[in-house]
Amino acid sequence: MDGFGCGPRGQSGPMPRSLRALTTSTALVVTAALLPLSAGPASAARTDPSPEPAPRAATGITIRDTAVASPVFVPVAPTSSRATTWPIGGGSTNLVGPSGTATGAPAQQLSRVQMRHYRVYGGVLAGVVDLVAAPDASTPSWVLVAFGNVSADGTMCESPAGSNIAFTSTDTDTVNNPVYDGARIQIKPFQFPTARTATWNCAFADTATDSTFATPYDSLAGPASLFRQKPDLKIVVKGRKLKRYGFTRIPVVIKNSSDTIATAPRVRLKVRTRGVAVRYNPRVGTIRPGTAKRGSIRIKDTRPGKGFVTLIVTSKDYRRKVRLVVREVRG
């Protein structure tokens, strides 16, 4: 056994008269999904699920190896000082135009830029860039989107090398990422290594005449809103027949998803029952992302009719449960 197993706890009652079986009815488990690209208040720390697994490459996107700063800046609201126990899982931003300083044609101006980064999978970036009008061959531009940190004097958002990307507003050779649809350019989730350990608090986007971004057409900048990530535990119990008399050992596996960066510390098992007696050890231990603890509980039927066992795992303020049903079977 690894992690937890049978302990001294239990209940007593009359011996059963018929053979019984344990089955799983309903597991309350949340699966990861990519959230819509929208940002909340910069002062709020939220708990969001993870993105879908990211593609390995973005064929039309360049991760830039140079640092860059925003030509304009919108002051960043202070982040919440409220204590929390779970790690920062990433952040998002919602930049809305017009900037008031744009030049060039409408197809070279920014209407809205929504970006989101995740720490899972070694770092992930996704986003949507909406231009004022659909670009064509006569109105091309380069687009830059960047996460970063507010400068020491508070006047701009500074993006380190590897924390900003660039692509053209029209690229007929790009098939997979980004995706061009009129005035909208969608950046599908792709691996963005600097996001793995990032502590960004601002973001910006530019359109410019060329890949140097020395002469911008338009620029938007603003705060980044951070979200926190909890563990994602799953309780796995396989149904099996119980002994006619005495306790039956039931293997239990508690897994933490690899779609989270949050370790579940000091996991404990709680049990609620009806019509059965249970022996178990409440101490499970720490479960890191992508790992599992294996153990068991022992169950004995104590009265006719259906019996129920609810297994509840907790870690700090995180909670997941599964309900097991004990029913009569023939043979």
Side-chain angles (χ1 to χ4, degrees), residues 13-16 20 273-276 300-307 328:
M15 292 293 182
R20 313 277 268 176
T273 65
R274 190 180 79 184
V276 297
K300 180 175 71 172
D301 185 32
T302 59
R303 68 184 185 191
K306 281 187 178 181
E328 294 183 5

Side-chain angles (χ1 to χ4, degrees), residues 33 40 55 103 131 154 253 272 275 288 321 331:
T103 62
L131 302 172
V253 180
R272 295 175 182 170
R288 295 185 303 275
K321 65 181 180 180

Side-chain angles (χ1 to χ4, degrees), residues 173-251:
D173 292 332
T174 300
V175 179
N176 297 318
N177 201 4
V179 176
Y180 297 86
D181 184 13
R184 167 160 290 197
I185 305 172
Q186 179 183 1
I187 306 166
K188 292 183 177 180
F190 72 97
Q191 289 180 340
F192 196 53
T194 51
R196 180 66 182 88
T197 57
T199 57
W200 299 315
N201 63 1
C202 62
F204 63 94
D206 297 339
T207 57
T209 56
D210 56 40
S211 60
T212 67
F213 291 90
T215 307
Y217 288 122
D218 198 6
S219 185
L220 298 175
S225 177
L226 303 179
F227 64 83
R228 298 187 180 272
Q229 204 170 31
K230 292 184 177 183
D232 185 7
L233 299 181
K234 182 179 181 181
I235 309 166
V236 180
V237 183
K238 293 184 178 180
R240 61 170 53 194
K241 290 184 179 180
L242 303 184
K243 297 177 182 177
R244 190 176 298 275
Y245 302 104
F247 285 88
T248 302
R249 178 183 171 276
I250 307 296

Side-chain angles (χ1 to χ4, degrees), residues 27-33 47-51 86-87 120-121 228-236 253-265 267 287-292 313 315 318-321:
L28 303 179
V29 178
V30 178
T31 57
T47 302
D48 288 359
S50 312
W86 302 112
V120 293
Y121 311 130
R228 298 187 180 272
Q229 204 170 31
K230 292 184 177 183
D232 185 7
L233 299 181
K234 182 179 181 181
I235 309 166
V236 180
V253 180
I254 303 175
K255 302 177 179 179
N256 192 5
S257 173
S258 59
D259 295 338
T260 179
I261 63 165
T263 293
V267 178
I287 310 179
R288 295 185 303 275
T291 67
V313 292
S315 176
Y318 178 87
R319 175 187 175 98
R320 281 291 181 268
K321 65 181 180 180

